[in-house]
Amino acid sequence: MTGQLLSGVEPDPAGDAGHADAPPRAGFFTDTSVCIGCKACEVACKEWNAIPEDGLSLTGMSYDNTQGLGASTWRHVAFIEQSSPSPSPSPEGRTQLPLADAPGSEGPGDPGGDLRWLMSSDVCKHCTHAACLDVCPTGSLFRTEFGTVVVQEDICNGCGYCVPACPYGVIEQRPADGRAFKCTMCYDRLGAGQEPACAKACPTESIQYGPLDELRERAALRVDQLHAAGVTDARLYGHEPTDGVGGDGAFFLLLDEPEVYGLPPDPVVTTRDLPAMWKHAGAAALSLAGGVALSFAAPALKHLAARTTGRKGRR
């Protein structure tokens, strides 16, 4: 459990978890405006962490054969095909080409006939307030000195409490043994002074790793750069420490609404209301206990009152 806080601003998750003299909190910044959908991050993640293959089933979702994050997919590159209502400026340094003419369009000259791909490499968010960690009964999930959240597979008992607790739907159990798995941000590499395998393999630096505060500053500058270039839809997601999960350890620059990428627009840590729930449960328990006590005491009081009245009558 992350210290005493279940929600709100938490400036030092690692220190609150008991790590003295912890290094600066580390994280990911994923700039989707320069993602080319090469899936090098998916391959590097699987190779380094020895993750089982997902299969190459045809999903009917463009070039996306993995569909989403899961126990055997710790990095997922999404391909979102989207109609462009009007020509939009390209991010600086990139060339935007129409993929095809939309059905019913008048041809290449039709402003509404272009399609674009929104590509994004999704990953566990390593939340400041991680509900998966808060509900784990065995201590399988823990907060590292880098502020990340890791599952110890040899301690996981397969209870599955962490799965519905995650507001992003990231963590999942493997059908073979029921244990939960998710991204560790290559904890073993971090301890050796190396960057995670996915960031190391990314050819466009769409995935950037480093101290979280530095990444947030870099991301804000990148948004300003895109806005100046005319890409007004560019926005950050998961970077704000005052949001419903206390800010994410892995945040994103998006070119459209979060829902387009399959992300919740306003995620909230699912354990936020536990203190209030326990308070109400305690009040209800006290009321019930009082009612039970009163039900047993009432006959005795009635009998005592009757005896007292009888004594007064005899006098």
Side-chain angles (χ1 to χ4, degrees):
M1 187 171 175
T2 313
Q4 301 299 314
L5 295 176
L6 292 174
S7 62
V9 177
E10 171 54 84
D12 184 17
D16 195 37
H19 295 285
D21 301 322
R25 185 179 179 186
F28 285 129
F29 164 48
T30 301
D31 182 354
T32 68
S33 70
V34 294
C35 178
I36 59 175
C38 67
K39 300 189 181 183
C41 55
E42 284 192 16
V43 175
C45 177
K46 281 188 173 294
E47 287 185 342
W48 181 263
N49 295 289
I51 303 174
E53 56 90 19
D54 302 287
L56 295 174
S57 58
L58 299 177
T59 65
M61 298 171 63
S62 185
Y63 288 95
D64 185 353
N65 67 294
T66 49
Q67 301 187 61
L69 297 173
S72 298
T73 307
W74 298 0
R75 270 280 178 187
H76 166 242
V77 178
F79 289 75
I80 298 104
E81 294 180 355
Q82 187 181 68
S83 297
S84 298
S86 61
S88 58
S90 301
E92 186 174 329
R94 296 186 61 195
T95 302
Q96 184 179 17
L97 296 175
L99 301 179
D101 295 329
S105 68
E106 298 178 1
D110 181 11
D114 291 345
L115 297 180
R116 68 171 180 173
W117 267 334
L118 297 178
M119 301 172 185
S120 174
S121 180
D122 197 9
V123 72
C124 171
K125 313 308 180 291
H126 295 274
C127 309
T128 298
H129 297 292
C132 60
L133 185 156
D134 292 337
V135 302
C136 180
T138 65
S140 172
L141 283 123
F142 72 99
R143 179 82 61 180
T144 74
E145 66 270 29
F146 301 101
T148 59
V149 179
V150 174
V151 183
Q152 301 173 92
E153 58 188 72
D154 57 332
I155 299 178
C156 178
N157 67 355
C159 68
Y161 293 167
C162 55
V163 175
C166 176
Y168 296 100
V170 167
I171 196 164
E172 186 185 49
Q173 295 170 273
R174 284 187 185 155
D177 59 12
R179 291 179 299 169
F181 293 85
K182 72 171 192 66
C183 163
T184 66
M185 206 178 283
C186 290
Y187 182 43
D188 51 346
R189 292 176 64 94
L190 303 191
Q194 302 179 38
E195 63 181 324
C198 57
K200 183 73 173 178
C202 182
T204 64
E205 296 186 356
S206 171
I207 302 172
Q208 301 176 35
Y209 164 80
L212 196 57
D213 289 339
E214 294 182 12
L215 292 178
R216 285 171 175 163
E217 293 178 4
R218 192 183 307 169
L221 292 175
R222 177 60 176 162
V223 170
D224 291 341
Q225 180 186 21
L226 290 173
H227 285 176
V231 187
T232 56
D233 288 336
R235 84 248 357 236
L236 295 179
Y237 176 84
H239 70 298
E240 184 56 61
T242 58
D243 67 13
V245 295
D248 292 324
F251 66 100
F252 302 80
L253 186 155
L254 305 178
L255 298 179
D256 208 323
E257 298 290 341
E259 299 95 316
V260 173
Y261 296 84
L263 296 168
D266 188 21
V268 175
V269 60
T270 49
T271 53
R272 178 193 62 180
D273 298 323
L274 276 180
M277 291 168 63
W278 281 113
K279 180 179 178 180
H280 293 315
L286 288 175
S287 300
L288 179 60
V292 172
L294 184 60
S295 66
F296 281 102
L301 292 174
K302 184 177 181 181
H303 179 68
L304 179 61
R307 291 183 61 185
T308 303
T309 303
R311 288 174 181 173
K312 288 182 178 180
R314 287 194 295 270
R315 291 176 184 175

